[in-house]
């Protein structure tokens, strides 16, 4: 159906014009018109509202009858009409069917969808047909992925048809593309991904208590998965052809790899779709299948680096990010890899007499599968990724995508990558210090701390990574750089928070960690939410790698950066309160009298003591008689953030900081900081209008000192801040 007719059909205000145009329509087109109108009406009114089952069934019967009538009318009108021509006339009908197919497929015990697919769609797409029509058929297959898993015979034909669409396009140059061919091939790749992701399913054998005799036996769809049947074709005819499809939409190809990954990870567990099955064979072949699906990306990356191919644009085959993203799409789905391997060993799946033997066998197969996958990563995948970190070190975007891939791999295998950790850490430090200082390296380092921080022998090495990254990062954030790179701020303090949570003693006691500069920068970061959007540069590799020029995006990034700094302070103060051997007041008294603090008894106490020194060590401020210390700067930053722009959902974080400071300092020292902080709040606006009176500010201070619990402070802060701004608005309008 042409786009003109399709647009005419979907405009509600033109329904009344049907009889005017009906004389110009063929009988086939008239039936298609009524089918399309029926689907649009039911889709807009019934489906989104999830109607009663009988209304869905009624709609399904009407839809099926109209499509059958379309077929019969086409054949009776012209004996030479092919299935492709009939399908072309029903394009709009099928397009609307894709929007409801997923919801209707579980309620099709009579096999009407099977008849539609086998009698109309499969034959129609088998012959030569327009590429827009192929796209619609592929979209329908994609929506019916779960249904197809219950109908293996039709699924085999669908997969073969989709593979043929991709294979036939291999080698076609961009200049030789036919209208709609690019979208059709992309839809075929997406459909293959969706079908592959449903490894096994259970066929519904009854509807309202009535058995459906047309469905396959319950065990047939559960014995053989799509990947088992079509793996050679998916690799050789699809994956290996991607380098010959330079114009293929990257999003659709990524969806294909994501579906393959989901199917692989589903195959190695002991159950799926409500059915228990033996995963031994799937675990045995998983390492080789993983190697095959990764090989195309690894080989293309290697060739790009061997030939020193210039990056000519984004989302093209010369862009290493494309191949890195294909690998990342696979390993992103492997986040539950270790849990899937443990499925069969936690709960018995077989009869009581065979449980011990089967569990032992599953444990052996899991260990073998894990060992082979680890060997694949160490010997094949990591060498290429490590080379990417060196070859493209000066280009920010490839570094970002490489770090993303490493994150997924580390989260997949966790502590089992312990032997590879020193190499990963070395490459991170080298790439960050000599190449592009992208914040993704800091994010990756925080993931390493998450996964390996509980291993005592890894903590020193993880802190060494921070020591190498922290200095250049803090220097980069000095002055105006703080507001210009909120992503770096967020990733830096995410890393520091993880270090405090997992390696606090080693991290805070290290002499190479500039704790004063780190905490001062964090206090300044609390007010990022009060500043305008970051003054980012353009997004190419010659610009600031962590900046953003979009106003709304920059504002959100500033808020996230402030929140990361607040969470760092919360964990830092909690640790200090638990590990400190002296109080902040004692530190002030000893240092002010010229004495020396006693040597802490443990690294944890030493780290806590360094934090207390930052909080309490006062230095005269330039141009002011009020002494300045870390605690004073922190309290002032919290109050200013509350009053000058912090969003309400972030108030609990600032309230936590104030609460822990108040409890740690036993009121007296905190009262001094609070008094100075409240005094420094702007009472007058720049135009001379009043923000708040001195009495209101005094009440504000008294309320905070009176209540201890965080929740109370939180609920007190909101109305006070709102009151300050209401007063300002009243005076402004006056």
């Amino acid at each position: 159906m042409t786009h003109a007719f399709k647009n005419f059909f979907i405009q509600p205000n033109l329904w009344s014009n049907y009889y005017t145009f009906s004389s110009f329509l063929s009988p086939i087109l008239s039936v298609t018109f009524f089918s399309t109108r029926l689907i649009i009406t039911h889709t807009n009114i019934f489906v989104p509202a999830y109607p009663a089952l009988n209304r869905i069934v009624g709609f399904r019967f009407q839809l099926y009858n109209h499509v059958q009538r379309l077929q019969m009318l086409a054949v009776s009108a012209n004996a030479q009409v092919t299935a492709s021509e009939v399908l072309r006339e029903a394009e709009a009908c099928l397009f609307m069917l894709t929007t409801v197919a997923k919801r209707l497929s579980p309620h099709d015990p009579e096999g009407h969808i099977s008849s539609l697919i086998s009698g109309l769609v499969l034959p129609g797409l088998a012959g030569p047909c327009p590429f827009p029509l192929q796209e619609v058929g592929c979209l329908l297959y994609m929506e019916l992925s779960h249904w197809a898993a219950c109908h293996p015979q039709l699924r085999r034909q669908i997969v073969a048809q989709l593979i043929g669409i991709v294979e036939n396009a291999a080698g076609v140059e961009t200049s030789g593309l036919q209208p709609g061919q690019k979208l059709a091939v992309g839809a075929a790749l997406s459909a293959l991904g969706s079908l592959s992701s449903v490894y096994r399913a259970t066929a519904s054998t009854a509807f309202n208590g009535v058995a459906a005799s047309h469905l396959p036996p319950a065990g047939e769809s559960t014995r053989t998965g799509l990947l088992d049947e079509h793996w050679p074709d998916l690799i050789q005819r699809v994956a290996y052809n991607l380098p010959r499809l330079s114009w293929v939409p990257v999003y659709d190809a990524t969806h294909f790899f994501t579906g393959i990954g989901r199917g692989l990870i589903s195959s190695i567990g002991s159950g799926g779709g409500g059915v228990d099955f033996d995963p031994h064979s799937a675990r045995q072949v998983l390492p080789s299948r993983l190697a095959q699906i990764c090989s195309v990306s690894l080989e293309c990356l290697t060739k790009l680096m061997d030939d020193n191919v210039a990056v000519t644009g984004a989302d093209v085959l010369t862009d290493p990010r494309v191949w890195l993203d294909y690998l990342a799409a696979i390993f992103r789905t492997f986040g539950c890899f270790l849990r899937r391997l443990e499925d069969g060993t936690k709960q018995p799946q077989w009869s009581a007499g065979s449980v011990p033997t089967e569990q032992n066998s599953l444990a052996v197969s899991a260990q073998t599968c894990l060992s082979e996958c680890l060997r694949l990563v160490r010997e094949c995948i990591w060498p290429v990724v490590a080379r990417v970190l060196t070859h493209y070190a000066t280009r920010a975007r490839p570094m970002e995508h490489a770090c993303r891939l490493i994150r997924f791999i580390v989260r997949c295998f966790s502590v089992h990558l312990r032997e590879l950790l020193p190499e990963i850490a070395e490459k991170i430090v080298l790439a960050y210090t000599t190449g592009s200082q992208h914040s993704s390296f800091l994010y990756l380092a925080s993931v390493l701390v998450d996964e390996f921080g509980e291993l005592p022998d890894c903590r020193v090495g993880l802190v060494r990574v921070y020591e190498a990254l922290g200095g250049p990062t803090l220097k980069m954030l000095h002055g105006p750089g703080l507001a210009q790179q909120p992503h770096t701020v967020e990733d830096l303090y995410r890393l520091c928070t993880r270090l405090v949570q997992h390696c606090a003693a080693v991290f805070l006691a290290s002499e190479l960690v500039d704790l004063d500069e780190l905490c001062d920068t964090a206090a300044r970061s609390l007010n990022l939410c009060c500043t305008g959007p970051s003054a980012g540069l353009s997004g190419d590799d010659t610009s600031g790698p962590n900046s953003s020029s979009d106003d709304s995006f920059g504002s959100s990034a500033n808020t996230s950066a402030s929140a990361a700094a607040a969470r760092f302070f919360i964990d830092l103060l909690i640790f200090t309160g638990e590990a400190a051997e002296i109080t902040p007041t004692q530190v002030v008294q000893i240092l002010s009298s010229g004495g020396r603090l006693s040597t802490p008894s443990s690294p944890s106490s030493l780290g806590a003591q360094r934090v207390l020194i930052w909080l309490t060590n006062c230095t005269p401020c330039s141009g002011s008689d009020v002494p300045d210390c870390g605690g004073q700067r922190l309290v002032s930053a919290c109050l200013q953030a509350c009053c000058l722009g912090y969003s309400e959902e972030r108030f609990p974080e600032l309230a936590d900081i104030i609460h822990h400071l108040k409890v740690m300092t036993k009121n007296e020292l905190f009262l001094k900081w609070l008094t100075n902080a409240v005094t420094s709040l702007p009472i007058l606006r720049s135009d001379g209008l009043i923000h708040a009176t001195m009495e209101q500010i005094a009440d504000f201070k008294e309320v905070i000192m009176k209540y201890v619990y965080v929740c109370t402070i939180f609920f007190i802060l909101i109305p006070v801040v709102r009151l300050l701004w209401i007063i300002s608005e009243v005076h402004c309008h006056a």
Side-chain angles (χ1 to χ4, degrees), residues 26-28 31 67-82 85-86:
S26 66
I28 297 177
V31 176
V67 174
Q68 271 206 331
R69 183 182 174 192
L70 176 65
Q71 292 178 273
M72 295 173 60
L73 185 58
V75 175
S76 62
N78 185 354
Q80 304 300 321
V81 171
T82 64
E85 292 172 327
V86 175

Side-chain angles (χ1 to χ4, degrees), residues 629-641:
C629 62
Q632 180 66 73
R633 293 191 293 273
L634 182 55
V635 174
S636 298
C638 288
L639 294 188
Q640 289 178 13

Side-chain angles (χ1 to χ4, degrees), residues 311-385:
V311 180
T312 57
D315 293 342
V316 294
L317 298 187
T318 59
D319 186 357
R321 292 181 296 174
V322 171
W323 308 108
L324 290 170
D325 285 350
Y326 291 165
L327 291 171
I330 298 171
F331 283 100
R332 186 175 188 175
T333 63
F334 273 51
C336 59
F337 176 66
L338 297 178
R339 294 195 301 273
R340 294 292 289 171
L341 289 179
E342 295 174 355
D343 277 352
T345 60
K346 290 183 177 180
Q347 295 181 357
Q349 306 287 337
W350 287 271
S351 60
S354 61
V355 165
T357 303
E358 293 293 349
Q359 284 187 340
N360 181 64
S361 176
L362 282 174
V364 172
S365 67
Q367 183 59 44
T368 303
C369 178
L370 175 60
S371 300
E372 291 299 313
C373 289
L374 286 172
R375 188 166 68 90
L376 171 66
V377 172
R378 287 194 304 266
E379 298 179 2
C380 300
I381 298 177
W382 169 246
V384 176
V385 178

Side-chain angles (χ1 to χ4, degrees), residues 118-139:
S118 60
L120 180 63
V121 183
L122 280 170
L125 297 184
C129 66
F131 290 110
L133 195 58
Q134 284 188 354
E135 180 189 0
V136 173
C138 293
L139 292 175

Side-chain angles (χ1 to χ4, degrees), residues 626-677:
V626 179
D628 188 29
C629 62
Q632 180 66 73
R633 293 191 293 273
L634 182 55
V635 174
S636 298
C638 288
L639 294 188
Q640 289 178 13
C642 284
C643 297
L644 300 179
Y646 219 58
S647 58
E648 290 185 7
E649 59 268 18
R650 294 298 185 186
F651 274 22
E653 295 164 350
L654 299 182
D656 271 340
I657 295 175
I658 294 175
H659 167 68
H660 290 297
L661 277 174
K662 180 178 182 295
V663 172
M664 183 189 303
T665 54
K666 307 301 181 185
N667 287 355
E668 181 180 349
L669 188 58
F670 178 74
L671 177 60
K672 179 181 177 181
W673 294 340
L674 180 62
T675 301
N676 294 333

Side-chain angles (χ1 to χ4, degrees), residues 489-730:
V489 175
E490 180 182 2
D491 292 333
L492 171 65
Y493 287 104
R494 179 190 288 110
L495 169 59
C496 293
T497 301
R498 300 299 188 272
L499 286 168
V500 172
Q501 292 171 347
H502 299 285
C503 320
V506 181
F507 173 54
L508 298 176
S510 173
E511 296 181 355
L512 298 179
V513 175
D514 191 345
L515 189 60
D516 291 350
E517 181 67 20
L518 180 65
C519 293
D520 285 340
T521 304
R524 292 169 52 215
S525 301
L526 292 177
N527 288 321
L528 277 178
C529 58
C530 308
T531 63
S534 57
L537 303 173
S538 61
D540 55 26
D541 291 316
T542 61
S543 66
N546 310 308
S547 58
S548 172
S549 58
D550 182 78
D551 287 353
S552 60
F553 187 74
S555 178
S556 175
N558 287 340
T559 302
S560 298
S562 297
R567 287 190 290 270
F568 164 69
F569 272 125
I570 292 171
D571 286 315
L572 184 68
L573 293 174
I574 291 175
F575 169 80
T576 303
E578 295 174 350
E581 296 176 342
I582 56 176
T583 65
T585 303
Q586 291 173 332
V587 173
V588 172
Q589 293 172 350
I590 294 174
L591 294 180
S592 61
S593 63
R596 297 185 60 182
L597 297 174
S598 59
T599 302
S601 60
S602 66
S604 296
S605 300
L606 175 59
Q609 187 180 95
R610 295 186 68 198
V611 176
L612 291 179
I613 292 174
W614 174 79
L615 285 171
T616 59
N617 189 23
C618 297
T619 56
C621 298
S622 58
S624 174
D625 296 332
V626 179
D628 188 29
C629 62
Q632 180 66 73
R633 293 191 293 273
L634 182 55
V635 174
S636 298
C638 288
L639 294 188
Q640 289 178 13
C642 284
C643 297
L644 300 179
Y646 219 58
S647 58
E648 290 185 7
E649 59 268 18
R650 294 298 185 186
F651 274 22
E653 295 164 350
L654 299 182
D656 271 340
I657 295 175
I658 294 175
H659 167 68
H660 290 297
L661 277 174
K662 180 178 182 295
V663 172
M664 183 189 303
T665 54
K666 307 301 181 185
N667 287 355
E668 181 180 349
L669 188 58
F670 178 74
L671 177 60
K672 179 181 177 181
W673 294 340
L674 180 62
T675 301
N676 294 333
V678 172
T679 303
S680 65
L681 286 175
I683 297 177
L684 297 178
R685 296 186 354 168
S686 58
D687 55 5
L689 296 178
I690 298 176
H691 265 311
T693 65
M694 292 302 298
E695 291 79 6
Q696 290 166 339
I697 291 181
D699 291 341
F700 177 42
K701 178 179 64 176
E702 181 181 354
V703 167
I704 292 181
M705 292 304 301
K706 181 178 179 181
Y707 294 97
V708 176
Y709 296 106
V710 176
C711 59
T712 306
I713 296 177
F714 166 55
F715 286 113
I716 292 297
L717 284 176
I718 292 181
V720 170
V721 173
R722 291 291 171 259
L723 178 61
L724 294 177
W725 285 109
I726 290 174
I727 294 174
S728 173
E729 293 297 325
V730 170

